[in-house]
Amino acid sequence: MCGIIGIAGQSAVADRLLESLRRLEYRGYDSAGIATLVDGRIERRRAEGKIDRLAARLAEEPLAGTTGIGHTRWATHGAPSEANAHPHATDRLALVHNGIIENHAALRKELIARGHRFSSETDTEVAAVLITDLLAGGASPKDAVAAALKRLEGAFALAIVFVGKPGLIIVARRGSPLALGFGQGETYIGSDAMALAPLSRRIAYLEEGDWAEVTPDGATIYDEAGRVVARPVRMAESTGALVGKGNYRHFMLKEIHEQPVVLGDTLKGCLALDMRLPRLPPLAFKPEEATRWTLIGCGTAHYASRVAKYWLEELAQVPVESELASEFRYRRAPLDPKGIALFVSQSGETADTLAALRHCKANGLHTIGVVNVPESSIAREVEVSLPTNAGPEIGVASTKAFTTQLAVMATLAIAIGLARRTIDEKRARALAEALIEVPARMTEVLARAAQFRTLAQTLAAARDVIYLGRGTCYPLALEGALKLKEVSYIHAEGYAAGELKHGPIALIDDVMPVVVLAPPDHLYEKTASNVEEVIARGAKVIFISDARGAAQFKDRALATVEMPDVDPFAAPFLYALPVQLLAYYTAVLRGTDVDQPRNLAKSVTVE
Ligand code: F6R
């Protein structure tokens, strides 16, 4: 993770670097720092914690300079302290880094043996000291970086400024994204186009292995072999305005409430609304001929793909695996070259998902992305990208990205079912109708959001919480537990309701809240029986179902929540709302940092 920004410019850069760091804060907020070149010397300010702390530091002691680099950190090696904050500086350079330098321990040992001293616990400082060592041996900045890159192992992006070299930033990309922006007499570098948005919309992405000399006049880009290369410059779509919270207290709440609208936008992109049928973009391959689908993602995106597994299996009658990217990429599973691998990611930059994508491509599989950030690495590297159109998701806990991922994959499942003739047009239309109704039904649930604030009092007082669901609501139970853990710091587990009796039921006692997601589908009676089992053991059940289900448990559950009637196919969309709202209000009651929970970052670009 971590965010990188840089300006090789002609006017003061500190304020602009700071503004861009705010846009990158989603990538980490353990510490932040800026270094600029002032009369050929390096000046830097760093602060532990969020960007506001760095802003306060800069207000106390402003930074001059027309060329500089900045960084916001998600700690990997070394605690989130000021000493470990980037930029790391030596007597010759300052450097910022995103990713991990895997051979840092060996290099550190070697550099210490050569007489160098270290002032942080980070892997990053090894790169700074290594390049310094090469400069001290007489190499130019360009040659020193080229030589150092050959010695650094891992996935990373780097940006470096050099003492006595005003106007020069050298950057390198290996595994972690890096974009260049071009302005009038200024050149910019950043981890993503959003950070560069207020500076420039003319963007070029460095490709894997690329590195570049950046000056106010432009950039000379080299490939891994050191050959000068050109990379296409395109107009970025991202808006220059920082996304605000509107009237909401937190981005998470705003994004939960945006779901009816963004879901409608997403459905417009993947359904021919007049025909009530799914619409896929033109493909260079026939997805209906795939013998197997492998759905790959991390965290919430993985849970979305676990819902989609049920849909694709049922509607398209095709074998589907839903895989955690971090496990899949190292498993050496036999890959079927006639299969399709589908990658689900909000950011499009998640390191494990990206690595899994490259692994599948190298093995000849067709690849599809379900991605929210259109300019992201995954969106650019898949054969076909199906956009989720959720708009910028700023809250670290994923909400609207989840339901829009579901929307894209639901329409995909209908499309593949139709193409494979495992469903007919009548059924496809009925399913599409059910999806088209979702935004309106979501609005009904959101209008009653206050009830979840009341229910959250029970969860906020608990030490542990269990979520139960069956069928497509089983991944929802997993997602509910993840949401609660990450924003409220309360331990929670999601289980398939039928699995409880195989062990976890031992956890149930009269203080354990159990949140049950029980839409009125073909599994309702089974879930209801499992609920009887936990009620019999004293659990405090929050039972979420339709009117009939709510009535059934009204007297015995701690609370029931009545959800609107929907086709069971559309239930995961609606049942996502209670789990999101329960997590949100519980976190608010616990007083956590809802939008930026501890230890997390929005974009996980380390493995
Ligand atoms: C949880 C959450 C994470 C992400 C995961 C994948 O609320 O946000 O679990 O879903 O890190 O991120 P993307 O979707 O960007 O690949």
Side-chain angles (χ1 to χ4, degrees):
M1 0 265 224
C2 304
I4 291 180
I5 184 74
I7 304 177
Q10 297 192 348
S11 57
V13 289
D15 286 352
R16 291 184 290 158
L17 291 172
L18 193 68
E19 148 82 0
S20 288
L21 286 180
R22 289 190 193 283
R23 297 168 160 271
L24 287 169
E25 203 169 15
Y26 74 92
R27 301 176 77 94
Y29 34 80
D30 286 333
S31 65
I34 287 178
T36 57
L37 282 165
V38 182
D39 300 329
R41 285 175 293 105
I42 284 169
E43 295 270 345
R44 70 179 163 152
R45 307 282 181 270
R46 299 181 296 168
E48 183 185 332
K50 298 193 177 167
I51 308 289
D52 281 342
R53 302 269 296 270
L54 177 66
R57 177 89 183 78
L58 282 162
E60 278 163 19
E61 222 183 325
L63 260 188
T66 57
T67 290
I69 51 178
H71 187 267
T72 177
R73 176 170 189 242
W74 184 80
T76 59
H77 296 62
S81 62
E82 185 171 331
N84 288 331
H86 303 212
H88 288 282
T90 67
D91 57 345
R92 290 174 181 266
L93 57 81
L95 175 148
V96 291
H97 161 227
N98 169 26
I100 291 179
I101 293 165
E102 287 174 352
N103 57 339
H104 68 97
L107 286 174
R108 181 182 278 253
K109 212 164 144 194
E110 176 188 322
L111 290 161
I112 288 173
R114 288 171 62 79
H116 292 283
R117 301 241 303 267
F118 284 79
S119 54
S120 80
E121 306 150 307
T122 62
D123 53 334
T124 307
E125 199 183 359
V126 164
V129 175
L130 175 63
I131 299 168
T132 300
D133 184 68
L134 292 156
L135 290 169
S140 66
K142 180 185 160 206
D143 291 342
V145 173
L149 286 174
K150 294 202 170 81
R151 302 220 44 213
L152 299 176
E153 291 168 16
F156 52 82
L158 298 172
I160 313 146
V161 290
F162 301 86
V163 171
K165 297 282 174 194
L168 175 68
I169 306 177
I170 298 191
V171 296
R173 177 204 161 136
R174 193 188 297 158
S176 299
L178 210 50
L180 302 178
F182 300 95
Q184 296 294 333
E186 293 199 327
T187 313
Y188 315 102
I189 58 127
S191 295
D192 65 25
M194 196 156 86
L196 297 179
L199 302 169
S200 171
R201 286 184 58 212
R202 289 181 53 228
I203 305 288
Y205 286 93
L206 292 188
E207 289 182 10
E208 197 43 30
D210 282 359
W211 55 289
E213 286 178 295
V214 178
T215 66
D217 300 327
T220 309
I221 307 176
Y222 305 92
D223 67 9
E224 202 161 4
R227 288 177 297 242
V228 174
V229 285
R231 299 298 177 213
V233 177
R234 41 180 132 181
M235 294 302 283
E237 283 170 19
S238 0
T239 155
L242 253 185
V243 181
K245 286 186 217 154
N247 292 327
Y248 293 94
R249 184 168 160 201
H250 295 104
F251 279 110
M252 183 177 176
L253 188 62
K254 173 176 175 254
E255 288 160 4
I256 289 173
H257 280 268
E258 277 173 0
Q259 288 175 105
V261 172
V262 294
L263 205 84
D265 291 345
T266 304
L267 287 173
K268 270 183 218 145
C270 42
L271 284 176
L273 292 182
D274 48 343
M275 302 289 294
R276 302 292 201 249
L277 283 176
R279 178 176 58 193
L280 284 180
L283 301 176
F285 56 93
K286 291 204 161 104
E288 64 274 24
E289 288 175 2
T291 46
R292 169 176 293 274
W293 286 69
T294 308
L295 316 181
I296 299 169
C298 301
T300 292
H302 168 65
Y303 294 144
S305 82
R306 286 179 71 160
V307 176
K309 170 180 161 77
Y310 287 84
W311 287 333
L312 264 170
E313 284 175 347
E314 183 185 329
L315 301 178
Q317 289 295 304
V318 62
V320 181
E321 298 299 335
S322 168
E323 298 272 3
L324 284 170
S326 54
E327 286 297 313
F328 172 80
R329 61 179 289 199
Y330 291 117
R331 227 181 42 232
R332 301 196 188 171
L335 296 180
D336 181 347
K338 294 202 198 86
I340 289 180
L342 179 141
F343 300 86
V344 188
S345 177
Q346 189 285 128
S347 63
E349 300 294 352
T350 301
D352 284 317
T353 311
L354 186 56
L357 162 60
R358 290 175 180 159
H359 175 61
C360 289
K361 278 176 84 168
N363 281 277
L365 272 73
H366 287 302
T367 59
I368 298 179
V370 175
V371 182
N372 196 39
V373 179
E375 301 282 337
S376 62
S377 302
I378 295 175
R380 285 181 291 119
E381 291 189 28
V382 286
E383 273 175 272
V384 50
S385 181
L386 305 176
T388 48
N389 292 337
E393 192 181 63
I394 308 294
V396 163
S398 195
T399 52
K400 60 177 181 170
F402 177 71
T403 44
T404 51
Q405 285 159 356
L406 290 183
V408 169
M409 291 190 282
T411 53
L412 181 68
I414 302 172
I416 305 300
L418 259 182
R420 287 171 62 84
R421 297 181 203 279
T422 43
I423 56 171
D424 60 16
E425 245 186 60
K426 188 165 164 242
R427 173 115 167 93
R429 281 214 171 83
L431 294 168
E433 293 279 0
L435 293 178
I436 291 165
E437 258 205 44
V438 166
R441 300 287 86 77
M442 278 184 151
T443 307
E444 286 170 28
V445 178
L446 291 170
R448 290 187 274 124
Q451 65 184 318
F452 298 103
R453 191 164 40 203
T454 312
L455 291 174
Q457 287 167 4
T458 303
L459 302 195
R463 203 191 59 179
D464 313 279
V465 178
I466 285 182
Y467 286 75
L468 297 180
R470 275 180 183 258
T472 51
C473 273
Y474 165 40
L476 263 288
L478 297 170
E479 169 64 2
L482 171 61
K483 263 332 52 117
L484 189 73
K485 280 184 270 207
E486 68 179 325
V487 297
S488 76
Y489 316 152
I490 294 171
H491 172 240
E493 298 292 342
Y495 289 108
E499 183 64 16
L500 205 67
K501 55 189 168 297
H502 298 290
I505 201 164
L507 294 170
I508 303 289
D509 59 17
D510 56 5
V511 293
M512 175 75 84
V514 178
V515 179
V516 183
L517 306 168
D521 56 17
H522 64 294
L523 296 167
Y524 174 82
E525 295 303 339
K526 308 270 175 216
T527 309
S529 302
N530 301 135
V531 174
E532 296 289 1
E533 291 155 14
V534 296
I535 287 181
R537 286 158 180 88
K540 292 178 175 171
V541 168
I542 297 176
F543 191 75
I544 305 174
S545 184
D546 70 344
R548 193 177 64 96
Q552 182 179 349
F553 284 98
K554 195 164 184 34
D555 298 332
R556 283 164 309 130
L558 174 79
T560 54
V561 175
E562 191 183 314
M563 298 287 282
D565 277 338
V566 275
D567 186 308
F569 178 59
F573 295 91
L574 283 200
Y575 284 69
L577 298 179
V579 300
Q580 294 169 351
L581 288 163
L582 281 174
Y584 172 76
Y585 286 119
T586 306
V588 170
L589 285 172
R590 302 270 292 208
T592 62
D593 192 344
V594 175
D595 283 333
Q596 295 183 326
R598 68 184 180 204
N599 305 339
L600 293 176
K602 184 76 185 151
S603 175
V604 186
T605 56
V606 294
E607 57 176 282

